[in-house]
Amino acid sequence: MTAFDPSAALESLFSEYTARASAIRRDLGRSHSPDFAEQAVQRQNDEVLEALLAEAEAALLLVGKAKLRLSEGRYGDCLQCGQPIQAQRLAALPAAECCLDCADRTK
């Protein structure tokens, strides 16, 4: 098993979310059909795409914050209690801001 590399994991997530957001923006920029019925369906699809774009942008923000913490030497410290975030949690969620205990308390 290879060691977890937070920098590589965060870069990979950043690239993935950037590509996803770009693709969604491209889809949202397409023109709609002149047919009213088809246009109604396309507008509903746009609402779904807008929600997906918001999720991708929120994830990009979290990854950006994690990259900043990494550069400042604070990566892996819980923002709530200051204790180290479990290695397994960081491997699963590289942009995690809180340890599992604190994350459970905020639910």
Side-chain angles (χ1 to χ4, degrees):
M1 183 175 173
T2 60
F4 174 67
D5 179 1
S7 182
L10 292 170
E11 264 319 305
S12 177
L13 282 175
F14 187 82
S15 294
E16 178 185 331
Y17 290 129
T18 298
R20 186 179 302 174
S22 294
I24 293 169
R25 282 189 196 98
R26 189 173 45 253
D27 287 347
L28 284 169
R30 292 190 176 140
S31 62
H32 290 90
S33 169
D35 177 57
F36 180 76
E38 180 66 22
Q39 198 176 87
V41 171
Q42 290 171 335
R43 298 263 183 229
Q44 284 180 321
N45 290 343
D46 285 351
E47 290 176 11
V48 171
L49 287 174
E50 288 166 357
L52 292 172
L53 179 58
E55 286 179 8
E57 289 174 338
L60 274 171
L61 182 62
L62 285 175
V63 171
K65 288 178 180 180
K67 288 172 71 174
L68 179 62
R69 289 192 306 276
L70 184 63
S71 72
E72 294 175 343
R74 298 182 301 115
Y75 180 80
D77 294 338
C78 177
L79 296 181
Q80 299 291 320
C81 69
Q83 296 299 309
I85 299 172
Q86 299 86 347
Q88 300 92 331
R89 180 166 172 77
L90 288 173
L93 300 168
E97 295 180 320
C98 300
C99 67
L100 192 54
D101 291 337
C102 290
D104 283 343
R105 275 186 241 134
T106 60
K107 284 184 182 176

